[in-house]
Amino acid sequence: MLNIHNLSVSFNGEYLFEEISFRLNAGDRVGLIGKNGAGKSTLLKLLSKEMQADSGVIASDKEVQIGFLKQDLDFEQGRTVLEEAYQAFEEIKSLELQLDHINHQLAERTDYETDSYSKLIDDLSDISHRYEILGGYNYQGETEKILQGLGFKREDFNKYTDTFSGGWRMRIELAKLLLQNNDVLLLDEPTNHLDIESIIWLEQFLRTSNSAIAIVSHDRMFLDNVTNRTIEISLGRIYDYAKPYTEFLVLRKEIQEQQLSAQKNQEKQIQQTEKLIEKFRAKASKATMAQSLIKKLDKLDRIEVDQDDNSVMNLRFPVSITPGKVVVEIEDLSKHYGEKEVLNYINLLIERDSKTAFVGQNGQGKSTLAKIIVGELEHQGKLKLGHNVQIGYFAQNQAEYLDGNKTILDTMIDAANEKNRSKVRDILGSFLFRGDEVDKYVKVLSGGERNRLALAKMLLQPFNVLVMDEPTNHLDIKSKNVLKQALQSFEGTLILVSHDRDFLQGLTDKVYDFKDGDIKEYLGDIDFYLDQRKVDDFREIEKKQTIAAPKLKKVVSEVSYEDQKKLKSLHNKLSNIESSIAQLERDIAEIDKNLLENYEQTIAKPNFFETYEKKKKTLKNHMEEWEDITIKLEDLA
């Protein structure tokens, strides 16, 4: 399908990779691996023809369709999730317009015997046939199936894409690619924004796909479950083996050992030959033989050992000052987004020097609680930080906060203070940003390099409590290991949100499982948690939940038709009331804030007290109505 020959790309005079060659065939599911900045994403851009190589050729079969999932997406605003997903069916949508136009004409015209009317009938037949061949009568159902597989609910389908986070928009783009039936699929970090359930679904989809696939990923389990071939980019060269990731590592090590052994034997032969040359040079009768040996050495193909790029960042999180014994105390804390209750009266106590993991499916409140702890989100209930607590926070999208128009060095200098400004270059060096690399603009960095820079920037501020939300996204496997070691030796308090079992193993001493607005505590590490759940990994938990789902549907189907109508009506009323309550709470909170900050000016507004009391009374009535509807729903359930 794609034939890559002697491809070279350089930046600022240095080769990213030089004269690499390989072929991507039908049925290949290739894992592209390598350290951050090795050129993985660049290679995908070259294969998609989004950028040009310095030299070399990428040849393809005629009419090969290539789909490319990039890390950075641009979405057109004003489309719903379904409308955006339907963009995958460009020809089908065009045919629908043509069919609609023809049917409109046929309904209006009465000249049944004319040639033009006959032509309309013929066009209708031809277009309908083409529409059927392309799957026009089932593409909507297929779209809904794939969107649901990637975690969307039916109630999400008609919401606008700009109301979703970047991670959910990435899922929409992935859905479009999977619907297009491309000959070649290029996927750059497809699992970064997926929960385990969606990852399992994607694995199954890709394993049964007929497309040739190239995947950049740092998820070892995902690569092992999907790929049948691995290409590593290292020090400007590629190493290509028909094995999934873990088997590739074993095979590559064996080959390196064989090469090293062969190289040692060759070196011995070379040394013996060189001794003979020196010995024969001194004798005129042996001069011809010496020249012959010299020529032989010149023609010898020297055995090279495949080189590993073993450069890794040097990371250590220093503790600022010692905080009090209790770091975070949470009592009856709740949080809702509109009508969706994410956290419901939870209680939590985090002590100094503890290492805590937050686990669970996406949307269950892990990141929400992390943001509440660091003060980014408002909430209901009590949250108290302990004495001398200084929090360092690494957000799931931390790299997005970096200014793309600044250089690496400027990013750090602007975040530094007088005490640590002189240490900026040393810190960058320990994160593998050395020499002229610090003058690179942030916008040209890979996802992993941006994450490394965000980690480096964290070290410029003091903290004794570290809250990290999916910190391994975009990090290569070696960098993940370095981060893990740094967190293991961190002498402060750690709160870690992650779905990566390999990363969590041996890292935490307490696990909180988030589900249905509640949390459950497990006093042990991630292996203890999985043992208590009687599974080997997160994936089995998701599989159990997926298997259990049909039972719920059966219960719903036993509800009478009249009760179903009542349930639907009550749910709609509840949704509207919850939205009103949320808005009123925000309005009253804003008024209370204004009263505290500027009492005289606030009460001077026309009809202030009447408006204020009316809002509070309306809120009280809504709360009573909400309680009444909730009781009715429980009676019908």
Side-chain angles (χ1 to χ4, degrees):
M1 283 190 176
L2 292 178
N3 190 24
I4 295 86
H5 183 66
N6 287 344
L7 207 63
S8 298
V9 171
S10 62
F11 289 106
N12 299 323
E14 289 189 18
Y15 278 104
L16 198 56
F17 39 78
E18 186 175 10
E19 295 189 351
I20 63 171
S21 299
F22 64 95
R23 182 174 174 81
L24 194 60
N25 302 304
D28 282 345
R29 299 191 299 275
V30 178
L32 277 176
I33 66 168
K35 62 169 282 190
N36 294 138
K40 305 182 296 295
S41 296
T42 299
L43 182 55
L44 290 189
K45 289 176 183 176
L46 292 168
L47 296 179
S48 69
K49 300 177 182 176
E50 197 172 274
M51 67 178 285
Q52 296 293 318
D54 296 341
S55 61
V57 177
I58 301 177
S60 62
D61 298 340
K62 288 183 179 180
E63 298 180 357
V64 164
Q65 288 185 294
I66 299 175
F68 181 25
L69 180 72
K70 297 180 284 187
Q71 289 183 16
D72 302 315
L73 301 176
D74 292 320
F75 264 84
E76 185 176 317
Q77 291 192 351
R79 288 181 184 150
T80 66
V81 171
L82 269 182
E83 287 169 345
E84 185 62 44
Y86 288 158
Q87 299 303 308
F89 304 100
E90 192 174 338
E91 187 176 354
I92 286 177
K93 300 301 286 183
S94 173
L95 292 174
E96 280 183 342
L97 290 175
Q98 293 177 52
L99 287 171
D100 186 59
H101 179 68
I102 291 172
N103 284 321
H104 187 69
Q105 288 189 67
L106 290 175
E108 291 182 343
R109 292 174 60 165
T110 56
D111 53 333
Y112 309 123
E113 304 301 325
T114 63
D115 291 340
S116 61
Y117 192 90
S118 296
K119 186 177 185 307
L120 275 179
I121 297 295
D122 290 339
D123 290 343
L124 179 66
S125 176
D126 292 341
I127 294 171
S128 297
H129 181 63
R130 176 67 179 165
Y131 185 75
E132 184 177 3
I133 289 173
L134 292 175
Y137 296 110
N138 54 29
Y139 79 92
Q140 292 176 331
E142 190 66 21
T143 300
E144 292 183 11
K145 185 173 77 174
I146 284 183
L147 284 172
Q148 287 178 308
L150 289 171
F152 288 94
K153 297 175 181 176
R154 285 194 171 275
E155 53 263 37
D156 296 327
F157 289 171
N158 293 315
K159 294 178 182 176
Y160 288 106
T161 57
D162 46 289
T163 65
F164 289 87
S165 66
W168 284 95
R169 293 187 201 180
M170 182 73 78
R171 295 188 193 208
I172 300 170
E173 190 66 18
L174 179 56
K176 284 161 60 178
L177 286 180
L178 301 182
L179 288 163
Q180 285 170 351
N181 293 321
N182 291 292
D183 302 301
V184 178
L185 267 180
L186 308 174
L187 306 177
D188 196 354
E189 300 281 13
T191 64
N192 266 0
H193 300 285
L194 301 183
D195 54 30
I196 302 300
E197 188 175 7
S198 299
I199 291 173
I200 294 168
W201 180 89
L202 181 60
E203 285 176 355
Q204 293 169 342
F205 186 98
L206 294 177
R207 279 200 301 265
T208 57
S209 171
N210 294 321
S211 305
I213 304 169
I215 305 167
V216 172
S217 179
H218 301 125
D219 185 331
R220 179 195 295 255
M221 190 175 291
F222 179 74
L223 290 172
D224 280 343
N225 287 340
V226 172
T227 64
N228 55 18
R229 180 179 167 192
T230 301
I231 296 178
E232 180 183 19
I233 304 176
S234 178
L235 300 172
R237 298 179 62 183
I238 64 167
Y239 302 95
D240 185 356
Y241 299 105
K243 298 284 184 183
Y245 178 74
T246 301
E247 293 180 35
F248 158 82
L249 289 180
V250 174
L251 181 60
R252 178 136 193 261
K253 188 175 181 182
E254 290 174 355
I255 290 172
Q256 284 175 316
E257 288 172 352
Q258 292 169 5
Q259 289 172 338
L260 189 60
S261 177
Q263 188 186 58
K264 286 179 179 178
N265 290 333
Q266 189 184 61
E267 282 297 323
K268 286 180 183 178
Q269 293 175 0
I270 290 170
Q271 289 172 8
Q272 291 171 355
T273 304
E274 287 174 343
K275 285 178 182 178
L276 286 174
I277 290 170
E278 289 301 316
K279 184 178 179 181
F280 292 158
R281 269 179 176 165
K283 298 179 181 180
S285 61
K286 302 287 187 178
T288 304
M289 187 176 292
Q291 289 300 317
S292 175
L293 289 173
I294 290 170
K295 289 178 181 178
K296 182 181 177 182
L297 274 184
D298 290 340
K299 292 178 181 178
L300 185 68
D301 287 331
R302 303 284 176 130
I303 295 171
E304 293 183 1
V305 178
D306 294 343
Q307 296 298 307
D308 282 326
D309 188 349
N310 291 313
S311 58
V312 292
M313 63 181 179
N314 178 23
L315 178 56
R316 181 176 171 270
F317 294 111
V319 175
S320 54
I321 55 176
T322 303
K325 185 177 180 182
V326 175
V327 171
V328 180
E329 185 177 0
I330 291 173
E331 187 177 332
D332 292 337
L333 185 144
S334 297
K335 177 64 182 177
H336 55 77
Y337 296 97
E339 71 275 8
K340 183 174 174 59
E341 190 84 34
V342 180
L343 299 170
N344 187 21
Y345 293 102
I346 66 166
N347 295 283
L348 179 66
L349 188 73
I350 295 177
E351 296 184 335
R352 181 180 62 217
D353 301 339
S354 61
K355 304 288 190 289
T356 304
F358 289 174
V359 303
Q361 289 177 288
N362 282 4
Q364 295 295 328
K366 306 185 301 296
S367 297
T368 296
L369 184 56
K371 289 177 181 176
I372 288 172
I373 290 171
V374 302
E376 280 201 0
L377 289 178
E378 294 181 356
H379 58 89
Q380 291 78 48
K382 178 184 173 185
L383 183 146
K384 182 182 177 183
L385 296 181
H387 178 64
N388 279 341
V389 165
Q390 296 177 330
I391 295 180
Y393 177 47
F394 188 91
Q396 189 172 150
N397 58 340
Q398 187 74 33
E400 293 177 16
Y401 292 112
L402 300 173
D403 186 344
N405 293 316
K406 286 184 180 180
T407 65
I408 294 171
L409 184 59
D410 288 341
T411 298
M412 291 289 285
I413 289 175
D414 291 348
N417 55 42
E418 289 182 7
K419 291 182 179 179
N420 56 28
R421 193 166 285 123
S422 61
K423 299 177 182 178
V424 160
R425 283 188 179 271
D426 290 337
I427 293 172
L428 284 174
S430 68
F431 281 82
L432 304 181
F433 297 115
R434 295 164 184 156
D436 294 339
E437 284 190 335
V438 299
D439 295 321
K440 282 183 179 178
Y441 283 95
V442 171
K443 61 187 174 186
V444 304
L445 301 179
S446 69
E449 288 173 319
R450 291 185 193 185
N451 261 25
R452 288 212 313 265
L453 178 57
L455 284 169
K457 190 178 171 185
M458 280 187 67
L459 299 186
L460 296 172
Q461 304 300 324
F463 55 82
N464 48 32
V465 176
L466 185 52
V467 180
M468 306 194 87
D469 189 356
E470 301 289 2
T472 60
N473 281 356
H474 299 294
L475 286 183
D476 61 61
I477 292 167
K478 287 180 181 177
S479 295
K480 274 189 192 182
N481 292 336
V482 171
L483 176 59
K484 181 174 180 176
Q485 289 166 10
L487 293 177
Q488 284 172 327
S489 60
F490 177 54
E491 295 178 354
T493 306
L494 176 66
I495 300 171
L496 187 60
V497 180
S498 180
H499 63 257
D500 188 331
R501 180 194 173 177
D502 288 336
F503 183 70
L504 286 173
Q505 272 183 321
L507 196 49
T508 61
D509 49 36
K510 188 185 293 183
V511 175
Y512 284 99
D513 188 10
F514 285 63
K515 187 178 179 185
D516 298 332
D518 199 8
I519 59 174
K520 185 175 180 181
E521 183 182 62
Y522 292 83
L523 296 173
D525 66 2
I526 199 66
D527 288 330
F528 173 79
Y529 160 75
L530 294 170
D531 181 62
Q532 291 294 300
R533 296 293 302 270
K534 294 182 171 55
V535 292
D536 290 331
D537 57 42
F538 294 138
R539 292 159 185 260
E540 290 190 34
I541 292 172
E542 302 300 341
K543 285 175 182 175
K544 285 188 176 184
Q545 290 171 351
T546 304
I547 291 166
K551 293 180 181 177
L552 298 175
K553 291 181 181 178
K554 186 178 180 182
V555 172
V556 173
S557 67
E558 291 169 359
V559 179
S560 70
Y561 177 69
E562 286 301 319
D563 282 348
Q564 285 185 39
K565 285 177 67 178
K566 288 180 184 177
L567 278 169
K568 186 176 181 181
S569 175
L570 287 170
H571 275 299
N572 288 337
K573 285 182 181 177
L574 190 67
S575 177
N576 292 332
I577 288 172
E578 286 176 342
S579 296
S580 298
I581 289 171
Q583 185 59 53
L584 285 166
E585 285 177 338
R586 285 194 291 269
D587 292 345
I588 292 168
E590 182 66 24
I591 293 170
D592 290 340
K593 181 183 175 186
N594 291 337
L595 283 169
L596 283 171
E597 293 177 352
N598 199 330
Y599 180 80
E600 296 293 338
Q601 189 175 338
T602 302
I603 64 171
K605 293 178 181 178
N607 303 318
F608 168 74
F609 286 107
E610 292 87 342
T611 305
Y612 186 36
E613 289 303 320
K614 185 178 179 182
K615 284 183 181 290
K616 290 169 76 172
K617 186 177 180 180
T618 305
L619 176 61
K620 183 183 177 183
N621 292 337
H622 279 351
M623 293 297 287
E624 290 172 355
E625 194 174 354
W626 181 88
E627 189 175 348
D628 181 52
I629 293 172
T630 304
I631 292 169
K632 289 178 181 177
L633 282 169
E634 288 175 355
D635 291 340
L636 283 170

